[in-house]
């Protein structure tokens, strides 16, 4: 079964801690994305990567970091610098970042800061 | 003005009803459009792409109006299982990284 997996499904963090959210895809997609979704709001882009060993900041990158050492993996670290990290985090991939390709999403990770 | 705007709803309709959602986008250079469906506390899933000539998939019909910069989704013969939030998605202008811009969604509640 091809798809995108994210772990953990739920994550609780104390203030001041860094946490890393996992995202793995076996779709052989080049492009990968991280979004954040808050209640009543649209998805906001945190970081994206169009190819291995390359990534770019999205609209709300402050307080987050990523790496793309392997094509299938794009982990997101939420650092203590992120002021309001409680949210639903969605990882997505796309065959290539071309005009007509849709994105496919993983099941998401709900992060709660205690 | 938001790049992609949707009426948040909720649209409360009885089973069997026909319901339509509109979505407006701000960038006239946008060239690809999608509707995604998101169930409560789940990830968005592609419902359908929207083509210039309009397209239909079973009970769902999508239309694009470039002149007025809006896309629409029509659902006929609504089912209880259609209850979800429908996200309008627009590809940003060509070039750059072809960013997808997501609307905040329109909530649909179908009742017996």
């Amino acid at each position: 079964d091809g798809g995108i997996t994210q772990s953990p499904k739920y994550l609780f963090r104390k203030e001041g801690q860094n946490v890393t959210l996992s995202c793995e895809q076996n779709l052989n997609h080049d492009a990968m994305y991280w979004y954040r979704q808050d209640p009543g709001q649209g998805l906001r882009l945190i970081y994206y990567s169009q190819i291995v060993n390359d990534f770019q900041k999205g609209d709300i990158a402050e307080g987050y970091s990523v790496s793309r050492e392997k094509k299938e993996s794009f982990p997101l670290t939420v650092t203590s610098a992120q002021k309001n990290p409680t949210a639903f985090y969605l990882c997505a991939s796309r065959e290539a970042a071309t005009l007509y390709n849709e994105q496919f999403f993983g099941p998401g990770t709900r992060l709660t800061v205690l | 003005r938001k790049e992609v705007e949707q009426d948040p709803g909720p649209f409360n309709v009885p089973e069997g009803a026909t319901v339509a959602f509109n979505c407006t986008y701000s960038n006239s250079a946008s060239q690809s459009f999608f509707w995604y469906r998101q169930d409560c506390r789940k990830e968005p899933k592609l419902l359908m792409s929207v083509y210039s000539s309009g397209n239909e998939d079973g009970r769902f019909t999508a239309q694009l109006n470039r002149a007025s910069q809006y896309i629409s989704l029509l659902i006929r013969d609504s089912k209880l299982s259609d209850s979800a939030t429908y996200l309008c998605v627009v590809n940003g202008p060509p070039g750059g990284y072809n960013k997808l811009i997501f609307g905040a969604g329109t909530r649909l509640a179908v009742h017996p």
Side-chain angles (χ1 to χ4, degrees), chain B:
Chain B
R1 181 183 172 189
K2 290 182 181 178
E3 292 178 282
V4 178
E5 289 200 74
Q6 297 183 250
D7 181 342
F11 285 62
N12 294 301
V13 303
E15 273 186 290
T18 295
V19 62
F21 310 134
N22 280 344
C23 161
T24 58
Y25 60 95
S26 61
N27 195 318
S28 60
S30 295
Q31 294 194 26
S32 57
F33 311 88
F34 309 92
W35 282 102
Y36 277 71
R37 170 194 168 124
Q38 186 173 23
D39 292 295
C40 189
R41 301 177 73 81
K42 299 284 190 181
E43 75 274 24
K45 293 185 178 178
L46 180 69
L47 180 65
M48 56 198 306
S49 301
V50 186
Y51 304 124
S52 295
S53 54
N55 48 304
E56 187 174 309
D57 183 2
R59 297 182 293 109
F60 299 85
T61 300
Q63 296 281 348
L64 168 63
N65 185 318
R66 285 191 187 274
S68 300
Q69 293 179 215
Y70 76 83
I71 67 174
S72 64
L73 177 68
L74 181 77
I75 306 175
R76 290 180 299 276
D77 190 22
S78 299
K79 311 290 184 192
L80 294 174
S81 57
D82 293 334
S83 297
T85 297
Y86 291 84
L87 307 179
C88 171
V89 184
V90 174
N91 200 306
Y97 58 96
N98 291 311
K99 167 182 173 180
L100 288 184
I101 304 163
F102 289 77
T106 297
R107 197 153 64 87
L108 171 65
V110 182
H111 57 81

Side-chain angles (χ1 to χ4, degrees), chain A residues 19-23 34 46-47 64-66 74-78 89:
Chain A
V19 290
T20 297
L21 282 57
S22 167
C23 177
W34 274 105
I46 304 172
Y47 267 98
Y64 300 98
S65 65
V66 294
F74 191 41
L76 173 75
T77 296
V78 184
Y89 290 87

Side-chain angles (χ1 to χ4, degrees), chain A residues 18-39:
Chain A
N18 292 356
V19 290
T20 297
L21 282 57
S22 167
C23 177
E24 304 275 332
Q25 54 98 359
N26 61 3
L27 300 167
N28 200 33
H29 286 172
D30 284 320
M32 295 186 75
Y33 306 81
W34 274 105
Y35 293 90
R36 167 185 175 137
Q37 188 175 36
D38 294 281

